[in-house]
Amino acid sequence: MSTPISISADFIADHNARLEGVTTEDYDGLRRALARHGTDAEALVQKVMAFGVAIPTWGVGTGGTRFARFPGPGDPRNVFEKIEDCAVIQRLARATPRVSPHIPWDMVDDYPALREKAATHGLAFDAVNSNTFQDPPGQELSYKFGSLSHTDARVRAQAIAHNVECIDIGRKLGSKALTVWIADGSNFAGQSNLIKALDRYIDAMREIVAALPADWRVFIEHKLYEPAFYSTAIPDWGTSFAVAQELGRKACCLVDLGHHAPNVNIEQIVARLVRFKKLAGFHFNDSKYGDDDLDSGSVEPFRLFLIFNELIDAERRKAEGFAPAYMIDQSHNVTDPIESLIQSAIELQRAFVQALIVDRAALEAAQEANDALGAYLELKRAFTTDVSPLLAVARLRAGGAIAPIAAYRASAYRAQKAKERPAVSGTSAGIV
Ligand code: RM4
Ligand code: MN
Ligand code: MN
């Protein structure tokens, strides 16, 4: 299906026409303020326009918890419809040119057709996510007691084969990476031999790494707990890093912001992984308590900024092997997922550009002089700069909407999709 008429280029231009004057005025003010600190706003606009984060296909459907899922109107029913929603997000906000698929949720008969459909919307595919945390209908062996670290070699072989199939699918879609997150772990002390379980995982991952094409990478995603609550196979960045070291050059560590204990210094984890050339990239989201999968920047925007501060620092230093993949991983239970994803992408751009505003020379001078408050004040100056007009100008120049959520609401896209995609009756619990 082509782009919905309601969000045509003309529609966006009409919407922008009313806001352009005031946006330019605000941008000019910001440009002058930044110039006083030697910062070129135009260069920042270019960088924002080049910034991209991948949308998770599972994020465009209404998410749920283990208690219930309350579907939204017009939820996409298959990956082709998910691509349509991703296209709307990209069209309006111009920050999300890639899509990260999840297999088997996004399995189709014709992958070239899926790739083509995405391409017609200007979308490409990012890392493929494998799924050995559920039993798809008709599967021979169960993942109830684990997958890649299962005690039964036949289950491990099945899980390895699934990951290899994900690589094959990814090749057809134009991906260059496989993300592996497993739910393996234990719920009782003594249930699992902690050393043997890790051994089995590493051996299984070796086979997956051996199946990777030369220019592919595998992203190892750690997570502290859930659904296993006593122990988890890859609970932390340290285990992830040690495993990635053993697996070699193609293996690196993915940081999902929600997968840490509360108050953990994630920006320092990022800096460590950069230092050891093992930072794969991110699953961006926000959290208050755990793997809450809340919208990026909605709870702790300063922490998000501090993470980008490390990333910009690494980029400036031309840190070896530094090429992080940016993806969102969120579950939208109470909002329209399209709106949440638009806003999340903007919050990521905001943190990115605020980190670019930091005067690196001034920061370094303060650090070298042990001027703790001075260093902090430089970060705070950047973080408290309202870059909204700059982000709006970047969107405008890229062909997007100055106020993308307002434009989306005015388009009545959701109402149109609610008619085309009748809700599936009944509710069920589940993450997606
Ligand atoms: C996990 C993890 C994975 C995601 C699943 C749905 O907690 O974040 O990345 O694929 O949830
Ligand atoms: Mn994740
Ligand atoms: Mn998660």
Side-chain angles (χ1 to χ4, degrees), residues 58 129 181 221 254 256 259 283 285 291 293 329:
W58 61 103
N129 299 264
W181 173 73
E221 183 176 358
L254 183 130
D256 182 314
H259 290 189
H283 274 180
N285 50 50
D291 191 24
D293 281 331
D329 183 4

Side-chain angles (χ1 to χ4, degrees), residues 312-325:
I312 300 302
D313 180 74
E315 198 182 22
R316 287 280 164 86
R317 284 188 291 103
K318 298 196 175 15
E320 199 189 324
F322 179 73

